[in-house]
PDB file of all heavy atoms in Angstrom:
ATOM      1  N   MET D 161      -6.079 -24.573 -13.013  1.00 96.00           N
ATOM      2  CA  MET D 161      -6.051 -24.922 -14.393  1.00 96.00           C
ATOM      3  C   MET D 161      -7.218 -24.281 -15.164  1.00 96.00           C
ATOM      4  O   MET D 161      -8.332 -24.399 -14.713  1.00 96.00           O
ATOM      5  CB  MET D 161      -5.964 -26.403 -14.615  1.00 96.00           C
ATOM      6  CG  MET D 161      -5.913 -26.792 -16.051  1.00 96.00           C
ATOM      7  SD  MET D 161      -5.827 -28.626 -16.333  1.00 96.00           S
ATOM      8  CE  MET D 161      -4.193 -28.998 -15.675  1.00 96.00           C
ATOM      9  N   LEU D 195       0.048 -25.720 -20.842  1.00 97.00           N
ATOM     10  CA  LEU D 195       0.204 -27.149 -20.926  1.00 97.00           C
ATOM     11  C   LEU D 195      -0.355 -27.707 -22.181  1.00 97.00           C
ATOM     12  O   LEU D 195      -1.449 -27.236 -22.616  1.00 97.00           O
ATOM     13  CB  LEU D 195      -0.437 -27.828 -19.754  1.00 97.00           C
ATOM     14  CG  LEU D 195       0.155 -27.614 -18.311  1.00 97.00           C
ATOM     15  CD1 LEU D 195      -0.772 -28.201 -17.252  1.00 97.00           C
ATOM     16  CD2 LEU D 195       1.533 -28.196 -18.241  1.00 97.00           C
ATOM     17  N   SER D 196       0.305 -28.688 -22.758  1.00 97.00           N
ATOM     18  CA  SER D 196      -0.223 -29.405 -23.882  1.00 97.00           C
ATOM     19  C   SER D 196      -1.340 -30.283 -23.414  1.00 97.00           C
ATOM     20  O   SER D 196      -1.584 -30.547 -22.146  1.00 97.00           O
ATOM     21  CB  SER D 196       0.820 -30.289 -24.524  1.00 97.00           C
ATOM     22  OG  SER D 196       1.194 -31.270 -23.622  1.00 97.00           O
ATOM     23  N   LYS D 197      -2.063 -30.920 -24.248  1.00 96.00           N
ATOM     24  CA  LYS D 197      -3.241 -31.786 -23.910  1.00 96.00           C
ATOM     25  C   LYS D 197      -2.711 -32.881 -22.981  1.00 96.00           C
ATOM     26  O   LYS D 197      -3.389 -33.293 -21.940  1.00 96.00           O
ATOM     27  CB  LYS D 197      -3.884 -32.324 -25.178  1.00 96.00           C
ATOM     28  CG  LYS D 197      -5.031 -33.337 -24.859  1.00 96.00           C
ATOM     29  CD  LYS D 197      -5.740 -33.819 -26.132  1.00 96.00           C
ATOM     30  CE  LYS D 197      -6.852 -34.851 -25.752  1.00 96.00           C
ATOM     31  NZ  LYS D 197      -7.517 -35.286 -27.000  1.00 96.00           N
ATOM     32  N   SER D 198      -1.667 -33.565 -23.386  1.00 96.00           N
ATOM     33  CA  SER D 198      -1.103 -34.728 -22.647  1.00 96.00           C
ATOM     34  C   SER D 198      -0.696 -34.340 -21.287  1.00 96.00           C
ATOM     35  O   SER D 198      -0.947 -35.043 -20.307  1.00 96.00           O
ATOM     36  CB  SER D 198      -0.100 -35.388 -23.387  1.00 96.00           C
ATOM     37  OG  SER D 198       1.074 -34.539 -23.637  1.00 96.00           O
ATOM     38  N   ARG D 199       0.045 -33.153 -21.256  1.00 97.00           N
ATOM     39  CA  ARG D 199       0.532 -32.715 -19.921  1.00 97.00           C
ATOM     40  C   ARG D 199      -0.667 -32.299 -19.036  1.00 97.00           C
ATOM     41  O   ARG D 199      -0.585 -32.425 -17.823  1.00 97.00           O
ATOM     42  CB  ARG D 199       1.484 -31.564 -20.102  1.00 97.00           C
ATOM     43  CG  ARG D 199       2.813 -31.943 -20.773  1.00 97.00           C
ATOM     44  CD  ARG D 199       3.688 -32.607 -19.818  1.00 97.00           C
ATOM     45  NE  ARG D 199       4.231 -31.631 -18.788  1.00 97.00           N
ATOM     46  CZ  ARG D 199       4.737 -32.093 -17.694  1.00 97.00           C
ATOM     47  NH1 ARG D 199       4.892 -33.346 -17.377  1.00 97.00           N
ATOM     48  NH2 ARG D 199       5.291 -31.140 -16.764  1.00 97.00           N
ATOM     49  N   ALA D 200      -1.757 -31.723 -19.667  1.00 96.00           N
ATOM     50  CA  ALA D 200      -2.898 -31.288 -18.793  1.00 96.00           C
ATOM     51  C   ALA D 200      -3.494 -32.434 -18.154  1.00 96.00           C
ATOM     52  O   ALA D 200      -3.868 -32.384 -16.967  1.00 96.00           O
ATOM     53  CB  ALA D 200      -3.913 -30.510 -19.714  1.00 96.00           C
ATOM     54  N   LEU D 201      -3.591 -33.547 -18.932  1.00 96.00           N
ATOM     55  CA  LEU D 201      -4.258 -34.789 -18.453  1.00 96.00           C
ATOM     56  C   LEU D 201      -3.354 -35.451 -17.446  1.00 96.00           C
ATOM     57  O   LEU D 201      -3.857 -36.118 -16.567  1.00 96.00           O
ATOM     58  CB  LEU D 201      -4.575 -35.703 -19.593  1.00 96.00           C
ATOM     59  CG  LEU D 201      -5.657 -35.226 -20.555  1.00 96.00           C
ATOM     60  CD1 LEU D 201      -5.720 -36.178 -21.740  1.00 96.00           C
ATOM     61  CD2 LEU D 201      -6.989 -35.174 -19.833  1.00 96.00           C
ATOM     62  N   GLU D 202      -2.033 -35.180 -17.477  1.00 96.00           N
ATOM     63  CA  GLU D 202      -1.147 -35.770 -16.440  1.00 96.00           C
ATOM     64  C   GLU D 202      -1.458 -35.071 -15.099  1.00 96.00           C
ATOM     65  O   GLU D 202      -1.456 -35.689 -14.065  1.00 96.00           O
ATOM     66  CB  GLU D 202       0.286 -35.626 -16.846  1.00 96.00           C
ATOM     67  CG  GLU D 202       0.910 -36.561 -17.849  1.00 96.00           C
ATOM     68  CD  GLU D 202       2.347 -36.411 -18.215  1.00 96.00           C
ATOM     69  OE1 GLU D 202       3.053 -35.870 -17.226  1.00 96.00           O
ATOM     70  OE2 GLU D 202       2.659 -36.595 -19.289  1.00 96.00           O
ATOM     71  N   HIS D 203      -1.614 -33.825 -15.233  1.00 95.00           N
ATOM     72  CA  HIS D 203      -1.879 -33.005 -13.931  1.00 95.00           C
ATOM     73  C   HIS D 203      -3.328 -33.132 -13.516  1.00 95.00           C
ATOM     74  O   HIS D 203      -3.545 -33.150 -12.220  1.00 95.00           O
ATOM     75  CB  HIS D 203      -1.565 -31.558 -14.231  1.00 95.00           C
ATOM     76  CG  HIS D 203      -0.086 -31.209 -14.285  1.00 95.00           C
ATOM     77  ND1 HIS D 203       0.696 -31.104 -13.230  1.00 95.00           N
ATOM     78  CD2 HIS D 203       0.688 -31.018 -15.349  1.00 95.00           C
ATOM     79  CE1 HIS D 203       1.961 -30.740 -13.570  1.00 95.00           C
ATOM     80  NE2 HIS D 203       1.961 -30.702 -14.918  1.00 95.00           N
ATOM     81  N   PHE D 204      -4.190 -33.300 -14.380  1.00 95.00           N
ATOM     82  CA  PHE D 204      -5.632 -33.376 -14.043  1.00 95.00           C
ATOM     83  C   PHE D 204      -6.243 -34.598 -14.842  1.00 95.00           C
ATOM     84  O   PHE D 204      -7.028 -34.340 -15.725  1.00 95.00           O
ATOM     85  CB  PHE D 204      -6.287 -32.115 -14.386  1.00 95.00           C
ATOM     86  CG  PHE D 204      -7.468 -31.746 -13.481  1.00 95.00           C
ATOM     87  CD1 PHE D 204      -7.402 -30.561 -12.764  1.00 95.00           C
ATOM     88  CD2 PHE D 204      -8.562 -32.535 -13.390  1.00 95.00           C
ATOM     89  CE1 PHE D 204      -8.385 -30.248 -11.849  1.00 95.00           C
ATOM     90  CE2 PHE D 204      -9.694 -32.132 -12.539  1.00 95.00           C
ATOM     91  CZ  PHE D 204      -9.599 -31.033 -11.714  1.00 95.00           C
ATOM     92  N   PRO D 205      -6.013 -35.850 -14.329  1.00 95.00           N
ATOM     93  CA  PRO D 205      -6.365 -37.041 -15.214  1.00 95.00           C
ATOM     94  C   PRO D 205      -7.842 -37.164 -15.349  1.00 95.00           C
ATOM     95  O   PRO D 205      -8.323 -37.907 -16.231  1.00 95.00           O
ATOM     96  CB  PRO D 205      -5.761 -38.108 -14.446  1.00 95.00           C
ATOM     97  CG  PRO D 205      -5.425 -37.656 -13.047  1.00 95.00           C
ATOM     98  CD  PRO D 205      -5.145 -36.169 -13.212  1.00 95.00           C
ATOM     99  N   LYS D 209     -11.479 -35.357 -21.888  1.00 92.00           N
ATOM    100  CA  LYS D 209     -10.498 -35.352 -22.903  1.00 92.00           C
ATOM    101  C   LYS D 209     -10.883 -34.934 -24.288  1.00 92.00           C
ATOM    102  O   LYS D 209     -10.166 -34.317 -25.052  1.00 92.00           O
ATOM    103  CB  LYS D 209      -9.982 -36.858 -23.032  1.00 92.00           C
ATOM    104  CG  LYS D 209      -9.459 -37.519 -21.773  1.00 92.00           C
ATOM    105  CD  LYS D 209      -9.097 -38.920 -21.952  1.00 92.00           C
ATOM    106  CE  LYS D 209      -8.762 -39.598 -20.593  1.00 92.00           C
ATOM    107  NZ  LYS D 209      -8.547 -41.102 -20.770  1.00 92.00           N
ATOM    108  N   LEU D 212     -10.249 -31.442 -26.053  1.00 95.00           N
ATOM    109  CA  LEU D 212      -9.255 -30.643 -25.237  1.00 95.00           C
ATOM    110  C   LEU D 212      -8.027 -30.318 -26.040  1.00 95.00           C
ATOM    111  O   LEU D 212      -7.427 -31.098 -26.728  1.00 95.00           O
ATOM    112  CB  LEU D 212      -8.825 -31.452 -24.093  1.00 95.00           C
ATOM    113  CG  LEU D 212      -7.896 -30.805 -23.119  1.00 95.00           C
ATOM    114  CD1 LEU D 212      -8.532 -29.650 -22.420  1.00 95.00           C
ATOM    115  CD2 LEU D 212      -7.431 -31.744 -22.076  1.00 95.00           C
ATOM    116  N   VAL D 213      -7.844 -29.023 -26.085  1.00 95.00           N
ATOM    117  CA  VAL D 213      -6.662 -28.477 -26.863  1.00 95.00           C
ATOM    118  C   VAL D 213      -5.363 -28.470 -26.079  1.00 95.00           C
ATOM    119  O   VAL D 213      -4.307 -28.733 -26.461  1.00 95.00           O
ATOM    120  CB  VAL D 213      -6.958 -27.131 -27.502  1.00 95.00           C
ATOM    121  CG1 VAL D 213      -5.696 -26.430 -28.049  1.00 95.00           C
ATOM    122  CG2 VAL D 213      -8.065 -27.181 -28.441  1.00 95.00           C
ATOM    123  N   GLY D 214      -5.505 -28.059 -24.779  1.00 96.00           N
ATOM    124  CA  GLY D 214      -4.539 -27.772 -23.866  1.00 96.00           C
ATOM    125  C   GLY D 214      -4.984 -27.059 -22.558  1.00 96.00           C
ATOM    126  O   GLY D 214      -6.272 -27.064 -22.281  1.00 96.00           O
ATOM    127  N   ALA D 215      -4.115 -26.492 -21.799  1.00 97.00           N
ATOM    128  CA  ALA D 215      -4.610 -25.730 -20.666  1.00 97.00           C
ATOM    129  C   ALA D 215      -3.668 -24.652 -20.248  1.00 97.00           C
ATOM    130  O   ALA D 215      -2.532 -24.743 -20.687  1.00 97.00           O
ATOM    131  CB  ALA D 215      -4.816 -26.703 -19.433  1.00 97.00           C
TER     132      ALA D 215
END
Side-chain angles (χ1 to χ4, degrees):
M161 181 181 291
L195 291 174
S196 65
K197 176 179 179 178
S198 59
R199 291 283 291 164
L201 291 172
E202 281 182 30
H203 286 282
F204 212 117
K209 303 174 186 177
L212 181 67
V213 172

